[in-house]
Amino acid sequence: MADFKRAGSNLSSCPPVEKWDDWVEYDSEAWPRRVARRYQLIPTICFNCESACGLLAYVDKETGKVAKFEGNPMHPASRGRVCAKGPAVINQIHDPDRVLYPMKRIGPRGGGQWARTSWDEVLATFGSRIRKALQEGRGEEIMYHVGRPGYDLIMERTLQAWGIDGHNSHTNICSSSARFGYVLWHHADRPSPDHANARFILLLSAHLESGHYFNPHAQRIIDGKMAGAKLAVMDPRLSNTASMADYWMPTYPGTEAAVLLAMAKVILDENRFDKTFMKNWTNWEEADFDGFTAKGQTFEAFIEALKRHYAKYTPEFAENESGVKAGTIVKVAREIAAAGSRFASHLWRGSASGNLGGWQPVRALVLLHVLTGSVGTEGGHSLNAWNKFVPRPFKVPPPQQRWNELLYPPEWPLCTHEMSMLLPHLIKEGCGRLEAYFSRVFNPVWTYPDGFSWIEVLRDEKLVGLHAALTPTWSETAWYADYVLPMGYSSERHDLMSQETHASKWIGFRQPVLRVFQEKQGEKFDYTYQANPGEVWEEDEFWINLSWAIDPDGSMGIRQWFESPYRPGHKITVDEYYGWIFENSVPGLPDAAKKENLSPLAYMRKYGAYEVTTDVYKLNEKPLSSAELDGAKVEPNGLITRQGKPVGVMCNEKAVVGYNTPSRKLEIFSKTLVEWKWPEFALPEYYRSHVDRAAQAASLGIATSNIDRKYMPVVEWPKGANGEVFTLLPIFRLPTLIHTRTGNAKLLFEIAHKNPLWVNPIDAEKLGRIRTGDLLKVHTEIGFFVLHAWITEGIAPGVVACSHHLGRWRVNKDDHIERFSSAWVDLKEVAKGQWKMRQITGVEPYDSSDPDTRRVWWSDAGVHQDITFPVHPDPLSGMHCWHQVVRVERAGEDDRYGDIFVDTNLSHAVYQRWKALARPASGSGTLRRPLWFPRVARPVETAYYFRS
Ligand code: SF4
């Protein structure tokens, strides 16, 4: 038996593993009678956010149905604990509105007429269309576009097996800017803070209650606090997280880098930085700025130059920019310096995702880690690559030969991920079309900015030939598909997941619990949809079968990647796919399984997770192996290269692996930015965001010297946009909801179903004595939305905020688009590109197989703000900069709650203004993108060059 304490759980209420096959609980609904229920407990992984927490499904042995979900105590990251969204999976799997069978459009696209079809017909249709496109050399017209991935590697492998550059993701409306900042420093695009062992924790977000890996992180932030760590939170909004902090620093949006650089200046000026770490592990010798060239100079001279460079970022300057008191900035800087190598931080969305140049705070934040030597240390900042484990499958297809400019256009050569939010604009401009488009757990019409531009493209069959929405539920986007293909929830599919949640590497196994349960009773299934509700399929089997449908006789070279490693020439099963990985690619797992007389697959089915290693600190100091050194040479600057590529670095006369950057060091000075036309940002800097007060003033025609049009786009107001100018923060999460993913979890919507506009009392006065509940009209650059005010001191003056989780809608009263959470709307295109939406009713009780749908007592569905935002592509990271300069006024007599108006002609014009800020790759014969930058589904190296 595995050690119950192995996962660090000390919960006494979790059933012990040895009782999972027959766990007895009394039926709470039968009270006061004592009715025993017997359960089979089967582990799986939550699919509601990216944290990948472990769940235990309680399958009632009498009914064969899942009765509830709780935490899996054997999961190394979540340790038996879950947030509200974990147990709410029970609502999702029993949602009477969910999609249970593959559906095919029978009327005009977007017309809402559907008929049930078969999986065989789906496979035949897509198989033949994709085969034809591939045979005609139109691979770029096939695109897979993912919202919530919830897996590792399998789709990149599938698309590369098809030989296409067709992977699109939602990342550039999510985290591209943060990733860009981290990549520039150390190649790894995500941070992995060791909160539990930290002495000081700085969060630039509401991370304790929501956000990236927040449940696993929240536990460890509290562990750290219980052990004496202090917590600082930088956020213009008084979140629950900020309310738990020792220091709340409500920065004006977009000024965070100024505050962080002021802290860096304090640490530098007071000589409280870790000289040895900086000297050994930054590329300071490559620095060339302000007339200072480090080559041939001493480290001390470099530090003096750095001090001179950062002299402008005084705490007083930062106070003036941000509103945070200079004294607080100095105090926090000293606390960080005192924590030294035990300084942890987190910055993922928030300021990074909201602002033009949102990657600058990340550069500045990692500078604090570099100064304190807290990179890769116990209690410090680590790299996702050091704490995440992605095993290799049995056979890896070669990288694709082509480069798809619909994904990585030349204007944004440094973009961290695909420029996904520009897809409608690129298609409208004639950059390409789509023959087969798979939107997968993805709802861009609702989740993305500028959703009406998505509708305009998705409804046009000349632009999008065939669209399949792979989704567990109906959605605003699925409405414009040709096929709606039901995919499974957390307990209805296989996936491997690992995340950089803490100082460990682990792997989790999601599994279809009803199939596993029935197989334990001796049933046999060919496919998971035979065991799932309706014909809900899991994607692994769908993609395997689709690949066979594209290449039925293997002549295209595709089928080989989906043949069994155990039974040559036969179609691989999911048991074989994961069984091979567990047997061959997860160090230690076969031995752990053997100790229990289990196969590695059976071990993972039993426990649902496995901890690979906790030896994860300072991996940059790992010595290069003799195989890695074979044929390598040491350059005069200590860089170790092999076949011209850096593979390591000399440090204290040892050949070590270093970081995966060109210098193999932490790049305080980015030669990449110099070479790619952004020399002014080679060092971590601060420049003003598009929502800066200067931008606000300029939008009203007030001259200001704080604006540099090289960086800051013009804000132009549409006709009729009146009222006071504010910065709108539209991206904060509510702890119980997650985008459209939780729209059909009735218990979660009972808890939270409003997204009013947060307004400071000072601003409420300015707006004409606005009170909570009054209707406000918020004008964006392309339209407006109308919602209620919430007057609160929890938001800084000059800033308004609205959570982005609410405002779902459906165009027909009885459409099954998540009726717990959606309003019935009248949607009209009143003129070309001019869209009007008005709510007819809010949420109402309705009849269904679930009696609770008649008990719905709330009527508010919230207001869909995102659809009124234009795209704002950051010129470097490519991130959509979510924050908005808006005008707010009291709603007029004709305005009603939930009203929306958008002009997509204006949104295209805003896109063009932002595109003009970009600095495109040079073209013909030159590189499209730095070769060392990570890229999803990386093509061959030759594809990185423009054709001459
Ligand atoms: S944090 Fe909550 S929603 Fe996210 S995976 Fe964990 S339990 Fe699920």
Side-chain angles (χ1 to χ4, degrees):
M1 188 195 83
D3 179 1
F4 184 57
K5 287 279 179 194
R6 188 194 61 181
S9 170
N10 55 7
L11 298 183
S12 57
S13 59
C14 289
V17 179
E18 59 271 21
K19 295 193 174 170
W20 285 7
D21 279 340
D22 191 22
W23 177 249
V24 181
E25 280 187 4
Y26 291 104
D27 185 345
S28 57
E29 289 184 10
W31 190 87
R33 288 178 302 127
R34 285 164 63 90
V35 177
R37 293 259 175 237
R38 309 193 92 84
Y39 298 101
Q40 172 79 52
L41 308 192
I42 300 174
T44 189
I45 301 287
C46 182
F47 190 21
N48 273 337
C49 86
E50 62 283 354
S51 302
C53 298
L55 294 178
L56 270 186
Y58 285 57
V59 184
D60 188 314
K61 292 173 107 170
E62 193 181 318
T63 64
K65 291 195 170 146
V66 183
K68 63 174 176 176
F69 292 92
E70 293 194 354
N72 175 6
M74 303 308 294
H75 190 289
S78 53
R79 304 184 290 192
R81 299 161 193 164
V82 284
C83 81
K85 302 185 285 291
V89 174
I90 196 73
N91 291 167
Q92 296 172 310
I93 64 169
H94 293 150
D95 166 28
D97 277 3
R98 67 179 293 191
V99 190
L100 287 174
Y101 299 94
M103 306 297 285
K104 182 179 180 179
R105 168 174 70 85
I106 51 173
R109 209 184 260 173
Q113 289 171 284
W114 303 90
R116 190 171 151 183
T117 187
S118 69
W119 281 113
D120 284 346
E121 190 269 325
V122 171
L123 293 172
T125 303
F126 279 87
S128 63
R129 290 278 282 263
I130 293 171
R131 178 167 59 247
K132 188 163 185 288
L134 291 176
Q135 285 170 338
E136 293 173 358
R138 294 184 287 116
E140 284 75 20
E141 295 185 8
I142 302 159
M143 187 178 287
Y144 165 82
H145 204 155
V146 60
R148 166 76 50 239
Y151 55 74
D152 278 324
L153 205 62
I154 194 163
M155 275 318 297
E156 290 91 315
R157 181 182 186 278
T158 298
L159 298 169
Q160 291 191 316
W162 296 359
I164 62 167
D165 195 23
H167 183 281
N168 210 340
S169 71
H170 74 285
T171 307
N172 84 333
I173 61 140
C174 173
S175 54
S176 282
S177 256
R179 289 174 194 256
F180 185 67
Y182 289 114
V183 165
L184 288 174
W185 270 108
H186 48 44
H187 183 269
D189 68 354
R190 297 194 296 275
S192 183
D194 186 14
H195 292 308
N197 296 303
R199 291 214 185 101
F200 195 88
I201 300 169
L202 173 58
L203 305 176
L204 278 83
S205 60
H207 196 60
L208 200 49
E209 67 195 271
S210 60
H212 212 227
Y213 314 148
F214 85 95
N215 170 39
H217 277 187
Q219 300 178 21
R220 290 167 177 89
I221 291 168
I222 296 301
D223 288 350
K225 269 183 78 84
M226 301 273 279
K230 282 200 179 161
L231 176 65
V233 172
M234 213 181 273
D235 191 337
R237 195 175 62 87
L238 180 62
S239 61
N240 297 334
T241 305
S243 72
M244 297 285 290
D246 298 285
Y247 299 95
W248 174 39
M249 293 179 279
T251 37
Y252 186 81
T255 62
E256 295 80 4
V259 176
L260 295 166
L261 290 172
M263 290 178 185
K265 174 180 160 52
V266 170
I267 295 170
L268 275 167
D269 289 350
E270 296 182 1
N271 290 320
R272 301 182 70 166
F273 56 94
D274 184 333
K275 295 180 188 64
T276 309
F277 182 82
M278 280 197 76
K279 189 173 177 184
N280 285 344
W281 283 111
T282 66
N283 70 332
W284 66 270
E285 286 160 295
E286 295 185 331
D288 188 351
F289 57 94
D290 304 343
F292 170 81
T293 304
K295 198 167 179 193
Q297 300 264 17
T298 63
F299 174 71
E300 287 68 28
F302 164 73
I303 291 293
E304 289 311 310
L306 204 59
K307 285 181 181 173
R308 285 194 298 278
H309 183 79
Y310 286 130
K312 59 194 170 208
Y313 297 119
T314 62
E316 292 71 28
F317 168 80
E319 175 178 337
N320 201 34
E321 293 291 296
S322 69
V324 177
K325 294 275 174 240
T328 306
I329 295 170
V330 173
K331 212 167 165 191
V332 171
R334 288 177 181 155
E335 295 251 26
I336 289 171
S341 64
R342 289 184 183 265
F343 163 52
S345 72
H346 200 264
L347 171 48
W348 191 240
R349 298 191 182 99
S351 61
S353 303
N355 294 292
L356 174 68
W359 50 277
Q360 292 276 24
V362 181
R363 287 275 281 156
L365 182 61
V366 180
L367 177 61
L368 293 177
H369 286 291
V370 167
L371 288 170
T372 49
S374 55
V375 182
T377 49
E378 196 171 341
H381 158 94
S382 195
L383 286 59
N384 66 318
W386 294 0
N387 291 169
K388 180 178 166 86
F389 181 73
V390 182
R392 306 297 290 168
F394 68 100
K395 220 171 153 187
V396 181
Q400 68 277 18
Q401 299 288 325
R402 306 282 287 266
W403 188 279
N404 190 342
E405 292 194 354
L406 279 179
L407 303 171
Y408 290 91
E411 287 83 357
W412 293 271
L414 302 176
C415 64
T416 325
H417 272 64
E418 309 92 346
M419 296 298 294
S420 70
M421 90 284 202
L422 299 187
L423 190 62
H425 295 282
L426 296 171
I427 290 178
K428 280 183 182 185
E429 284 179 333
C431 299
R433 69 176 289 277
L434 298 173
E435 172 66 9
Y437 180 60
F438 297 95
S439 59
R440 184 272 188 185
V441 191
F442 181 53
N443 188 8
V445 168
W446 194 85
T447 315
Y448 270 45
D450 199 14
F452 289 120
S453 288
W454 281 86
I455 292 177
E456 288 169 3
V457 167
L458 290 176
R459 71 183 177 182
D460 187 334
E461 293 181 41
K462 289 195 290 306
L463 302 179
V464 181
L466 194 58
H467 173 194
L470 280 65
T471 169
T473 57
W474 290 99
S475 72
E476 289 81 349
T477 300
W479 214 239
Y480 295 93
D482 302 302
Y483 286 84
V484 177
L485 305 180
M487 295 291 149
Y489 282 111
S490 315
S491 56
E492 297 170 345
R493 46 186 294 132
H494 287 94
D495 291 299
L496 281 184
M497 285 208 71
S498 175
Q499 302 291 21
E500 58 284 3
T501 52
H502 62 292
S504 160
K505 268 188 178 182
W506 55 269
I507 188 160
F509 190 34
R510 184 176 290 130
Q511 46 185 349
V513 302
L514 292 182
R515 179 172 180 173
V516 173
F517 172 73
Q518 291 174 70
E519 285 179 342
K520 278 177 181 282
Q521 320 300 313
E523 300 264 345
K524 292 265 180 279
F525 299 99
D526 293 327
Y527 296 118
T528 296
Y529 71 75
Q530 295 159 341
N532 270 345
E535 287 183 5
V536 170
W537 211 354
E538 62 170 308
E539 285 147 62
D540 293 353
E541 288 176 345
F542 173 73
W543 297 116
I544 292 167
N545 280 275
L546 181 55
S547 301
W548 274 64
I550 295 167
D551 184 18
D553 59 6
S555 59
M556 295 172 75
I558 292 173
R559 210 185 83 171
Q560 57 171 312
W561 308 107
F562 305 93
E563 291 174 357
S564 165
Y566 303 99
R567 299 172 297 122
H570 289 80
K571 197 182 287 178
I572 190 169
T573 66
V574 280
D575 274 14
E576 289 173 333
Y577 181 83
Y578 291 108
W580 191 96
I581 287 173
F582 296 146
E583 285 164 24
N584 298 284
S585 293
V586 185
L589 175 56
D591 289 341
K594 202 168 165 195
K595 279 189 199 144
E596 299 194 29
N597 283 328
L598 294 171
S599 70
L601 177 64
Y603 183 98
M604 290 302 284
R605 290 218 182 281
K606 179 176 178 182
Y607 294 109
Y610 178 73
E611 188 161 64
V612 180
T613 181
T614 52
D615 181 11
V616 292
Y617 293 118
K618 294 200 172 181
L619 297 187
N620 54 309
E621 294 179 7
K622 192 173 142 227
L624 285 170
S625 66
S626 46
E628 287 165 325
L629 283 169
D630 187 23
K633 71 171 185 176
V634 180
E635 309 287 344
N637 62 359
L639 190 67
I640 302 170
T641 58
R642 208 161 66 147
Q643 291 164 351
K645 299 218 162 116
V647 293
V649 68
M650 295 302 296
C651 183
N652 294 328
E653 298 178 9
K654 288 191 194 125
V656 295
V657 68
Y659 299 90
N660 204 6
T661 56
S663 64
R664 300 305 278 193
K665 295 198 174 174
L666 295 164
E667 301 221 328
I668 191 168
F669 182 83
S670 175
K671 278 172 77 178
T672 301
L673 287 186
V674 175
E675 287 160 8
W676 288 80
K677 307 180 187 174
W678 296 94
E680 64 269 49
F681 299 141
L683 287 171
E685 298 290 353
Y686 163 65
Y687 77 106
R688 293 192 172 91
S689 161
H690 67 299
V691 294
D692 189 83
R693 281 163 285 213
Q696 297 186 357
S699 80
L700 297 174
I702 301 165
T704 164
S705 59
N706 278 346
I707 206 160
D708 186 339
R709 285 289 175 217
K710 262 204 316 284
Y711 304 122
M712 202 182 282
V714 179
V715 173
E716 287 181 13
W717 296 113
K719 218 168 119 204
N722 296 310
E724 298 286 330
V725 178
F726 291 92
T727 287
L728 169 66
L729 308 187
I731 48 171
F732 69 89
R733 281 181 173 178
L734 299 178
T736 51
L737 300 180
I738 185 112
H739 309 296
T740 59
R741 194 93 182 99
T742 44
N744 64 344
K746 60 188 177 188
L747 297 182
L748 299 180
F749 262 81
E750 187 168 20
I751 296 168
H753 43 257
K754 292 177 192 297
N755 63 342
L757 193 72
W758 295 37
V759 182
N760 185 279
I762 296 168
D763 295 325
E765 285 301 303
K766 249 204 278 181
L767 286 165
R769 305 211 158 176
I770 296 289
R771 298 284 173 260
T772 291
D774 287 355
L775 268 191
L776 296 176
K777 191 170 187 175
V778 179
H779 297 274
T780 68
E781 292 166 272
I782 63 170
F784 64 76
F785 60 101
V786 178
L787 78 175
H788 292 131
W790 184 46
I791 313 305
T792 170
E793 288 179 339
I795 190 81
V799 182
V800 291
C802 179
S803 171
H804 64 172
H805 288 312
L806 293 125
R808 302 296 305 280
W809 47 269
R810 61 188 194 277
V811 290
N812 297 314
K813 187 173 193 304
D814 296 323
D815 291 345
H816 290 194
I817 297 187
E818 305 189 342
R819 287 177 284 175
F820 296 122
S821 56
S822 67
W824 172 30
V825 300
D826 179 25
L827 175 62
K828 287 196 183 82
E829 189 178 10
V830 292
K832 193 170 179 332
Q834 297 195 347
W835 294 83
K836 257 187 177 175
M837 187 188 290
R838 170 157 283 184
Q839 295 191 1
I840 302 168
T841 67
V843 178
E844 292 182 317
Y846 58 97
D847 292 319
S848 77
S849 56
D850 177 359
D852 276 349
T853 62
R854 289 259 25 116
R855 299 182 187 122
V856 169
W857 55 265
W858 61 95
S859 57
D860 202 341
V863 177
H864 187 192
Q865 55 170 344
D866 293 6
I867 207 162
T868 69
F869 302 157
V871 292
H872 290 158
D874 183 88
L876 287 97
S877 70
M879 173 84 205
H880 169 60
C881 307
W882 274 103
H883 292 349
Q884 308 283 320
V885 178
V886 294
R887 300 187 78 164
V888 181
E889 62 176 339
R890 197 184 273 280
E893 275 182 14
D894 294 335
D895 298 318
R896 292 213 220 130
Y897 178 72
D899 276 1
I900 281 166
F901 176 77
V902 167
D903 185 341
T904 57
N905 304 298
L906 296 179
S907 75
H908 197 68
V910 177
Y911 153 69
Q912 297 284 0
R913 291 203 287 275
W914 280 70
K915 187 163 80 167
L917 302 175
R919 298 181 189 174
S922 297
S924 185
T926 62
L927 271 173
R928 294 173 174 279
R929 174 183 182 82
L931 282 168
W932 72 276
F933 265 31
R935 220 211 88 163
V936 180
R938 192 180 173 89
V940 292
E941 197 165 306
T942 49
Y944 273 69
Y945 291 85
F946 289 100
R947 291 191 185 156
S948 327

Short mmCIF file of all heavy atoms in Angstrom, two decimals, residues 520-539:
data_model
loop_
_atom_site.label_atom_id
_atom_site.label_comp_id
_atom_site.label_asym_id
_atom_site.label_seq_id
_atom_site.Cartn_x
_atom_site.Cartn_y
_atom_site.Cartn_z
N LYS A 520 -14.32 -2.76 -13.68
CA LYS A 520 -14.04 -3.50 -12.45
C LYS A 520 -15.11 -4.57 -12.22
O LYS A 520 -14.87 -5.57 -11.55
CB LYS A 520 -14.02 -2.55 -11.24
CG LYS A 520 -12.70 -1.82 -11.04
CD LYS A 520 -12.81 -0.85 -9.87
CE LYS A 520 -11.54 -0.08 -9.66
NZ LYS A 520 -10.50 -0.84 -8.97
N GLN A 521 -16.32 -4.34 -12.76
CA GLN A 521 -17.40 -5.35 -12.62
C GLN A 521 -17.33 -6.38 -13.76
O GLN A 521 -18.24 -7.19 -13.91
CB GLN A 521 -18.79 -4.70 -12.68
CG GLN A 521 -18.96 -3.38 -11.97
CD GLN A 521 -18.67 -3.46 -10.49
OE1 GLN A 521 -19.16 -4.36 -9.82
NE2 GLN A 521 -17.85 -2.55 -10.00
N GLY A 522 -16.31 -6.28 -14.61
CA GLY A 522 -16.15 -7.28 -15.65
C GLY A 522 -16.69 -6.89 -17.01
O GLY A 522 -16.63 -7.66 -17.97
N GLU A 523 -17.25 -5.65 -17.13
CA GLU A 523 -17.74 -5.20 -18.44
C GLU A 523 -16.56 -4.91 -19.37
O GLU A 523 -15.46 -4.61 -18.90
CB GLU A 523 -18.55 -3.91 -18.28
CG GLU A 523 -19.73 -4.04 -17.38
CD GLU A 523 -21.01 -4.29 -18.15
OE1 GLU A 523 -21.01 -4.08 -19.37
OE2 GLU A 523 -21.99 -4.72 -17.52
N LYS A 524 -16.82 -4.95 -20.68
CA LYS A 524 -15.76 -4.61 -21.65
C LYS A 524 -16.30 -3.52 -22.58
O LYS A 524 -17.47 -3.56 -22.98
CB LYS A 524 -15.40 -5.84 -22.49
CG LYS A 524 -14.69 -6.94 -21.70
CD LYS A 524 -13.18 -6.81 -21.85
CE LYS A 524 -12.45 -7.89 -21.07
NZ LYS A 524 -12.30 -7.60 -19.63
N PHE A 525 -15.46 -2.57 -22.92
CA PHE A 525 -15.88 -1.50 -23.82
C PHE A 525 -14.84 -1.31 -24.91
O PHE A 525 -13.64 -1.43 -24.66
CB PHE A 525 -16.01 -0.17 -23.05
CG PHE A 525 -17.04 -0.22 -21.95
CD1 PHE A 525 -16.65 -0.42 -20.64
CD2 PHE A 525 -18.38 -0.08 -22.24
CE1 PHE A 525 -17.58 -0.47 -19.62
CE2 PHE A 525 -19.33 -0.12 -21.23
CZ PHE A 525 -18.93 -0.33 -19.91
N ASP A 526 -15.32 -1.01 -26.12
CA ASP A 526 -14.38 -0.62 -27.18
C ASP A 526 -14.01 0.85 -27.02
O ASP A 526 -12.88 1.23 -27.27
CB ASP A 526 -15.03 -0.84 -28.55
CG ASP A 526 -15.25 -2.32 -28.82
OD1 ASP A 526 -14.42 -3.13 -28.36
OD2 ASP A 526 -16.27 -2.65 -29.45
N TYR A 527 -15.03 1.64 -26.65
CA TYR A 527 -14.81 3.08 -26.55
C TYR A 527 -15.45 3.65 -25.30
O TYR A 527 -16.49 3.15 -24.84
CB TYR A 527 -15.40 3.79 -27.78
CG TYR A 527 -14.72 3.41 -29.07
CD1 TYR A 527 -15.42 2.77 -30.08
CD2 TYR A 527 -13.37 3.67 -29.26
CE1 TYR A 527 -14.78 2.41 -31.27
CE2 TYR A 527 -12.71 3.31 -30.43
CZ TYR A 527 -13.44 2.68 -31.44
OH TYR A 527 -12.79 2.33 -32.58
N THR A 528 -14.88 4.74 -24.82
CA THR A 528 -15.38 5.33 -23.58
C THR A 528 -16.82 5.84 -23.72
O THR A 528 -17.57 5.85 -22.76
CB THR A 528 -14.42 6.46 -23.13
OG1 THR A 528 -13.16 5.84 -22.83
CG2 THR A 528 -14.92 7.19 -21.92
N TYR A 529 -17.22 6.26 -24.92
CA TYR A 529 -18.59 6.80 -25.03
C TYR A 529 -19.64 5.73 -24.74
O TYR A 529 -20.79 6.04 -24.46
CB TYR A 529 -18.82 7.51 -26.37
CG TYR A 529 -18.91 6.65 -27.61
CD1 TYR A 529 -20.06 5.90 -27.87
CD2 TYR A 529 -17.89 6.65 -28.55
CE1 TYR A 529 -20.15 5.14 -29.03
CE2 TYR A 529 -17.98 5.89 -29.70
CZ TYR A 529 -19.10 5.13 -29.94
OH TYR A 529 -19.21 4.38 -31.07
N GLN A 530 -19.23 4.46 -24.82
CA GLN A 530 -20.19 3.40 -24.52
C GLN A 530 -20.47 3.32 -23.01
O GLN A 530 -21.50 2.78 -22.60
CB GLN A 530 -19.64 2.07 -25.04
CG GLN A 530 -19.54 2.06 -26.57
CD GLN A 530 -18.57 1.01 -27.10
OE1 GLN A 530 -17.71 0.52 -26.37
NE2 GLN A 530 -18.71 0.69 -28.37
N ALA A 531 -19.56 3.85 -22.20
CA ALA A 531 -19.76 3.82 -20.75
C ALA A 531 -20.21 5.17 -20.20
O ALA A 531 -20.83 5.25 -19.14
CB ALA A 531 -18.46 3.41 -20.06
N ASN A 532 -19.92 6.25 -20.93
CA ASN A 532 -20.27 7.60 -20.49
C ASN A 532 -21.76 7.86 -20.66
O ASN A 532 -22.44 7.13 -21.38
CB ASN A 532 -19.48 8.63 -21.33
CG ASN A 532 -18.14 8.98 -20.70
OD1 ASN A 532 -17.90 8.68 -19.53
ND2 ASN A 532 -17.28 9.60 -21.47
N PRO A 533 -22.28 8.94 -20.07
CA PRO A 533 -23.67 9.31 -20.34
C PRO A 533 -23.87 9.56 -21.84
O PRO A 533 -22.97 10.10 -22.51
CB PRO A 533 -23.85 10.62 -19.56
CG PRO A 533 -22.72 10.66 -18.59
CD PRO A 533 -21.61 9.86 -19.17
N GLY A 534 -25.05 9.25 -22.38
CA GLY A 534 -25.34 9.45 -23.80
C GLY A 534 -24.27 8.83 -24.66
O GLY A 534 -23.91 7.67 -24.48
N GLU A 535 -23.73 9.66 -25.60
CA GLU A 535 -22.58 9.21 -26.39
C GLU A 535 -21.45 10.23 -26.25
O GLU A 535 -20.86 10.68 -27.22
CB GLU A 535 -22.98 9.05 -27.86
CG GLU A 535 -23.84 7.83 -28.08
CD GLU A 535 -24.18 7.62 -29.56
OE1 GLU A 535 -23.66 8.36 -30.42
OE2 GLU A 535 -24.98 6.72 -29.83
N VAL A 536 -21.22 10.61 -25.01
CA VAL A 536 -20.15 11.58 -24.75
C VAL A 536 -18.81 10.86 -24.91
O VAL A 536 -18.54 9.88 -24.22
CB VAL A 536 -20.30 12.14 -23.32
CG1 VAL A 536 -19.07 12.94 -22.93
CG2 VAL A 536 -21.57 12.98 -23.23
N TRP A 537 -18.02 11.36 -25.85
CA TRP A 537 -16.77 10.67 -26.17
C TRP A 537 -15.62 11.37 -25.47
O TRP A 537 -15.73 12.52 -25.04
CB TRP A 537 -16.54 10.67 -27.68
CG TRP A 537 -15.79 9.44 -28.15
CD1 TRP A 537 -15.25 8.47 -27.37
CD2 TRP A 537 -15.53 9.07 -29.50
NE1 TRP A 537 -14.68 7.50 -28.15
CE2 TRP A 537 -14.83 7.85 -29.47
CE3 TRP A 537 -15.80 9.66 -30.74
CZ2 TRP A 537 -14.40 7.19 -30.62
CZ3 TRP A 537 -15.38 9.00 -31.88
CH2 TRP A 537 -14.69 7.78 -31.83
N GLU A 538 -14.52 10.66 -25.39
CA GLU A 538 -13.31 11.32 -24.92
C GLU A 538 -12.44 11.60 -26.13
O GLU A 538 -12.43 10.85 -27.11
CB GLU A 538 -12.57 10.48 -23.89
CG GLU A 538 -12.06 9.16 -24.36
CD GLU A 538 -11.14 8.54 -23.32
OE1 GLU A 538 -10.21 9.25 -22.90
OE2 GLU A 538 -11.36 7.39 -22.94
N GLU A 539 -11.71 12.70 -26.04
CA GLU A 539 -11.02 13.18 -27.22
C GLU A 539 -9.91 12.24 -27.68
O GLU A 539 -9.66 12.14 -28.88
CB GLU A 539 -10.44 14.56 -26.96
CG GLU A 539 -11.51 15.61 -26.97
CD GLU A 539 -11.18 16.69 -26.00
OE1 GLU A 539 -10.17 17.35 -26.18
OE2 GLU A 539 -11.95 16.84 -25.04
#
